[in-house]
Amino acid sequence: MYGRKKLLVAGVACLALAQVIFGFGIETASLSLLFGSRLFAGLASANLSIAQAAIADITEPEHRARNFGMIGAAFGIGFIIGPLLGGLIAGLMHNAAAPFWFAGISGDH
């Protein structure tokens, strides 16, 4: 009805906005902003299932397992490199909110 591409773009935009809101929450020491941004991000985080459905639609059956494995590998690498980059950015900028600003501006997920 809406199209997977539009839903993926909307989901990524919402996640980027949630990161920016989280950065504001850190800067203002607002617990309600921190929880609100995580709630908003959680509501918009169906991107993985949409991406998997799109890959299932466009991939030949003999290559599906490989492509799903590539999604898993990308998430795994992100879980390893993401915290490292976040720590480096926070240390270089001397600001705990900097990684969230960067993630929000760069499009996050």
Side-chain angles (χ1 to χ4, degrees), residues 44-71:
S45 66
N47 284 345
L48 177 60
S49 58
I50 297 170
Q52 286 177 332
I55 285 180
D57 287 346
I58 65 171
T59 304
E60 297 297 323
E62 61 269 10
H63 298 296
R64 269 193 201 129
R66 180 191 66 184
N67 290 345
F68 284 134
M70 289 174 67
I71 289 177

